[in-house]
Amino acid sequence: DPMNPGRTVIVIRSLVAGGLAERDGRLLPGDRLMFVNGTDLSHASLAQAVHVLKSTALGTVRIGVTKPLP
């Protein structure tokens, strides 16, 4: 909700062409990012989400998403 900064959500718009997420096939544009490695991003700002994603250590990354309604 652009009028309420406390109700922001992160929606994936695109994936890196040829990247791991695209090759895996489970993460798709339109999915809403909920958490990364246990860090709640359900109402995070874009800056917060980018920080969490960039600071994630190499190795297995657990990403939680919700899928859009059909």
Side-chain angles (χ1 to χ4, degrees), residues 7-69:
R7 299 287 304 159
T8 61
V9 296
I10 304 297
V11 177
I12 297 164
R13 292 187 59 197
S14 63
L15 301 172
V16 174
L20 184 60
E22 183 185 64
R23 291 191 317 252
D24 178 82
R26 290 180 284 179
L27 191 61
L28 299 170
D31 291 350
R32 178 178 164 196
L33 185 61
M34 300 301 289
F35 69 83
V36 173
N37 285 349
T39 300
D40 181 14
L41 298 174
S42 58
H43 294 292
S45 68
L46 179 58
Q48 290 168 316
V50 168
H51 172 74
V52 169
L53 288 164
K54 286 187 173 186
S55 65
T56 301
L58 293 177
T60 301
V61 177
R62 296 184 54 86
I63 297 176
V65 299
T66 58
K67 299 291 186 176
L69 295 173

